[in-house]
Amino acid sequence: MTTLIVFHEVEDGECWAKAWKKGPGSRHEMFAQIGVSARTFKNPEHPNSVGLILEVPDMARFQSFMASDEAKQAMEEDRLKVDTMRMLGEFTP
């Protein structure tokens, strides 16, 4: 299992948050299809600055999914500013 911290800017923090509301069609459900669980975060002072902690069981599958048309469409719908995305992977020194 790999733990990732992902953070990025979005055009509309409320739109992004609605996409993550648990239930049918949510981003939680979309990521669960590949075994990934997510925790969501939003900067209270800058609501368009958001982040995730992801638990990823298979990095190759995750990377393939993130390059898919489905993931790209979701990022567009969620109004993600892709060029601001940063990802940190947990490591043991």
Side-chain angles (χ1 to χ4, degrees), residues 3-4 18 21 35-36 41 47 49 59 72 77:
T3 301
L4 300 176
K18 284 179 187 175
K21 186 176 180 182
V36 173
F41 299 86
S49 182
M59 279 302 292
K72 289 176 185 175
E77 289 172 2

Side-chain angles (χ1 to χ4, degrees), residues 11-74:
E11 292 177 22
D12 182 341
E14 289 305 312
C15 174
W16 180 86
K18 284 179 187 175
W20 283 94
K21 186 176 180 182
K22 291 187 178 184
S26 74
R27 297 302 177 235
H28 286 284
E29 185 178 78
M30 184 179 82
F31 276 95
Q33 293 174 30
I34 59 166
V36 173
S37 65
R39 293 174 50 200
T40 54
F41 299 86
K42 196 161 62 164
N43 183 329
E45 294 177 12
H46 303 283
N48 295 339
S49 182
V50 298
L52 303 160
I53 294 177
L54 303 176
E55 296 294 337
V56 181
D58 182 337
M59 279 302 292
R61 187 172 181 196
F62 174 76
Q63 290 170 330
S64 176
F65 174 75
M66 292 304 292
S68 74
D69 289 340
E70 180 182 4
K72 289 176 185 175
Q73 180 180 344

